[in-house]
Amino acid sequence: MRKLQKYDVLLIVLFVLQMGFHTPTGVDEELSLGGSIFITLLLCAGDLKYGKIRLNREAKHYCIWYTLFFVLCLSTLFFGVTCNKTMLKRMLFETFIPSILCLMSICAYLKRAESGGIGLLQNIVYAEVFVAIRAIIYTPIPQLIREMNTMLYGSNLGVNYNNFTTSLTLTFCIGLYLAFYAKSRIRGALIFIFCNILFSGSRKAIIVSILCFMMMYYLTSERKHVQEKIKKIAIILVAISAIVFLVFTNEFMYDLIGSKLLAVINSIGTSNIQQSLDASVRGRAMLRETAWETFLQHPLYGVGYYSFMYFNSLGYYAHNNYLEILADLGIIGFAIYYCYYCYCILMAFKMRKRNKSIEYSVRPDILLFVFILGVLILEYGQVTYFRMFMLVPFMTVILGSYHIYSEEVWGKERV
């Protein structure tokens, strides 16, 4: 582990506040927003002294994109079928303002810290370790083991455990990149984060984490080394077989994880959702169907920000980011939101094209591509478009990968 400087410590604290303190417990929300403002002022003190806040190119693009999306959400107050005013207010104070503060802080860090983009990515992994420790402290572990109810993970914070598992999965992806490409010494943090993913028992988190590991591991192969690629494919298959054997033959692991994965497998290709073995899978399937029907009834503008819950008998959100946005904000909101994902994928291909000529590139294009792919898979089973546990790793990867790419290209041109 590298020696942390004051800017690193400040940024880690900011990440912890924004990913781990958006809870209804005590004064967490006030502490998160107030602490974020204070840390941003400290990191941006030099720029504020001259009355200038400088955002790099990708930070500006992100800011324009999310501001446009927020304005669309805000417009449903006046033009939507209905509007969840409480959640819209929360989006302003718990998502939009913190996102701007996070962008400002990251840009200030990249401008001043010597460790640059790699240091930025390391800091969010370290921050997630502290977030996970806090979640464990607030987990009734004896009850979780006794009942084998992994939804109790971090439950004493009053937050859905999926919030924690999403940030765990995304930071695990970042950590894999750092271990495979940047050669960072963060194996301890990676193992701790993955153990938390297993402990949470989240199906999508486990599946996406394993997929990210396989992609990162395979893509470390040289393009021309066919034998190395075959060897790595064989190792991946053996590792998957070992994991499946452990999960489905060990009683403790089966109760914790295996039964949930089996429910997902049995639900694939089943036309009658009632045949599913798992109530959660049944409920999510029903919500997806209802969300699609709601979108078809209000295709252009949706029913209003975070208002799908008023249009289904269960009173829940869709548990699917794509269908939630379509039902809430229609095709307009969907297009605005996911156009930025398309932009990020194109940016990854642009980086790859330029990095071919850089002999010792740490391949930021692979981080960006695998991360976006992981997010797209996660969003099939999770609503993330206004959640900081997804947006903080998202903007960190975008700004970090762009900074690494810029430094490599600038360094090559300078030589």
Side-chain angles (χ1 to χ4, degrees), residues 117-245:
I118 297 298
L120 170 65
L121 298 172
Q122 288 174 334
N123 287 340
I124 198 167
V125 175
Y126 298 147
E128 183 58 32
V129 170
F130 290 107
V131 172
I133 290 173
R134 187 168 189 254
I136 292 172
I137 292 172
Y138 281 85
T139 299
I141 296 178
Q143 182 184 356
L144 184 149
I145 295 175
R146 184 173 62 253
E147 300 177 5
M148 283 298 166
N149 182 5
T150 56
M151 293 178 67
L152 293 172
Y153 181 83
S155 59
N156 288 341
L157 287 170
V159 176
N160 189 313
Y161 82 118
N162 283 313
N163 295 14
F164 296 111
T165 59
T166 300
S167 63
L168 283 166
T169 306
L170 296 180
T171 50
F172 181 70
C173 177
I174 296 170
L176 288 173
Y177 165 78
L178 291 170
F180 283 133
Y181 293 94
K183 308 301 179 184
S184 299
R185 298 179 180 179
I186 56 166
R187 291 180 182 176
L190 264 181
I191 293 171
F192 177 77
I193 289 173
F194 187 66
C195 287
N196 273 265
I197 292 171
L198 292 177
F199 184 58
S200 73
S202 171
R203 291 170 282 217
K204 55 183 172 292
I206 294 170
I207 292 170
V208 173
S209 297
I210 293 173
L211 286 175
C212 287
F213 175 82
M214 291 190 296
M215 286 188 287
M216 288 286 187
Y217 179 66
Y218 177 76
L219 290 172
T220 56
S221 306
E222 293 291 336
R223 288 187 290 272
K224 297 180 180 180
H225 293 178
V226 178
Q227 289 183 343
E228 183 183 358
K229 289 184 177 182
I230 295 173
K231 179 182 176 182
K232 289 193 173 182
I233 290 173
I235 292 173
I236 289 170
L237 292 174
V238 171
I240 292 174
S241 301
I243 292 171
V244 170
F245 179 80

Side-chain angles (χ1 to χ4, degrees), residues 383-400:
V383 176
T384 61
Y385 70 88
F386 60 93
R387 302 289 194 183
M388 291 303 288
F389 58 77
M390 192 287 284
L391 294 175
V392 172
F394 189 32
M395 65 181 81
T396 300
V397 165
I398 292 166
L399 299 188

Side-chain angles (χ1 to χ4, degrees), residues 34-328:
S36 296
I37 292 172
F38 179 70
I39 292 173
T40 302
L41 290 173
L42 291 177
L43 286 169
C44 299
D47 291 333
L48 292 171
K49 184 178 179 181
Y50 298 101
K52 293 182 179 180
I53 299 295
R54 296 182 179 178
L55 301 178
N56 64 30
R57 191 190 75 176
E58 292 309 318
K60 290 177 182 176
H61 290 170
Y62 185 97
C63 189
I64 292 170
W65 164 67
Y66 207 75
T67 299
L68 182 61
F69 184 72
F70 175 70
V71 169
L72 177 69
C73 295
L74 190 64
S75 69
T76 62
L77 263 176
F78 310 101
F79 307 111
V81 176
T82 184
C83 184
N84 192 328
K85 295 181 181 179
T86 301
M87 291 302 295
L88 191 57
K89 181 180 178 182
R90 288 184 61 183
M91 186 183 188
L92 173 62
F93 291 103
E94 298 177 19
T95 306
F96 183 69
I97 294 175
S99 293
I100 301 301
L101 294 173
C102 193
L103 283 175
M104 293 168 58
S105 297
I106 290 174
C107 288
Y109 172 85
L110 292 173
K111 182 179 177 181
R112 292 174 174 81
E114 296 178 359
S115 50
I118 297 298
L120 170 65
L121 298 172
Q122 288 174 334
N123 287 340
I124 198 167
V125 175
Y126 298 147
E128 183 58 32
V129 170
F130 290 107
V131 172
I133 290 173
R134 187 168 189 254
I136 292 172
I137 292 172
Y138 281 85
T139 299
I141 296 178
Q143 182 184 356
L144 184 149
I145 295 175
R146 184 173 62 253
E147 300 177 5
M148 283 298 166
N149 182 5
T150 56
M151 293 178 67
L152 293 172
Y153 181 83
S155 59
N156 288 341
L157 287 170
V159 176
N160 189 313
Y161 82 118
N162 283 313
N163 295 14
F164 296 111
T165 59
T166 300
S167 63
L168 283 166
T169 306
L170 296 180
T171 50
F172 181 70
C173 177
I174 296 170
L176 288 173
Y177 165 78
L178 291 170
F180 283 133
Y181 293 94
K183 308 301 179 184
S184 299
R185 298 179 180 179
I186 56 166
R187 291 180 182 176
L190 264 181
I191 293 171
F192 177 77
I193 289 173
F194 187 66
C195 287
N196 273 265
I197 292 171
L198 292 177
F199 184 58
S200 73
S202 171
R203 291 170 282 217
K204 55 183 172 292
I206 294 170
I207 292 170
V208 173
S209 297
I210 293 173
L211 286 175
C212 287
F213 175 82
M214 291 190 296
M215 286 188 287
M216 288 286 187
Y217 179 66
Y218 177 76
L219 290 172
T220 56
S221 306
E222 293 291 336
R223 288 187 290 272
K224 297 180 180 180
H225 293 178
V226 178
Q227 289 183 343
E228 183 183 358
K229 289 184 177 182
I230 295 173
K231 179 182 176 182
K232 289 193 173 182
I233 290 173
I235 292 173
I236 289 170
L237 292 174
V238 171
I240 292 174
S241 301
I243 292 171
V244 170
F245 179 80
L246 175 65
V247 167
F248 287 99
T249 58
N250 181 276
E251 184 178 355
F252 176 79
M253 293 299 293
Y254 179 80
D255 291 340
L256 190 68
I257 304 168
S259 58
K260 291 186 173 185
L261 293 176
L262 186 62
V264 173
I265 293 169
N266 278 274
S267 68
I268 296 173
T270 301
S271 59
N272 183 3
I273 59 175
Q274 297 299 327
Q275 293 179 17
S276 168
L277 300 181
D278 188 281
S280 174
V281 174
R282 279 201 307 272
R284 288 167 185 257
M286 292 172 63
L287 287 167
R288 288 196 298 268
E289 288 183 6
T290 308
W292 180 249
E293 292 171 2
T294 303
F295 162 65
L296 293 178
Q297 294 169 10
H298 307 273
L300 190 63
Y301 199 62
V303 295
Y305 171 72
Y306 207 68
S307 296
F308 168 67
M309 63 173 59
Y310 303 137
F311 290 80
N312 69 81
S313 58
L314 298 177
Y316 290 140
Y317 56 92
H319 288 78
N320 180 300
N321 204 57
Y322 309 107
L323 292 171
E324 181 73 31
I325 294 177
L326 284 170
D328 290 344

Side-chain angles (χ1 to χ4, degrees), residues 339-403:
C339 72
Y340 190 71
Y341 285 52
C342 296
Y343 168 77
C344 291
I345 292 172
L346 291 174
M347 185 167 69
F349 282 110
K350 177 184 176 182
M351 289 179 180
R352 177 174 174 77
K353 185 177 180 181
R354 291 292 297 272
N355 283 337
K356 286 181 179 179
S357 61
I358 300 175
E359 185 176 359
Y360 299 106
S361 173
V362 293
R363 300 300 302 277
D365 57 299
I366 289 179
L367 168 63
L368 190 54
F369 180 78
V370 174
F371 184 88
I372 294 295
L373 186 59
V375 170
L376 289 170
I377 298 171
L378 275 176
E379 289 183 342
Y380 181 78
Q382 178 75 1
V383 176
T384 61
Y385 70 88
F386 60 93
R387 302 289 194 183
M388 291 303 288
F389 58 77
M390 192 287 284
L391 294 175
V392 172
F394 189 32
M395 65 181 81
T396 300
V397 165
I398 292 166
L399 299 188
S401 58
Y402 175 72
H403 187 83

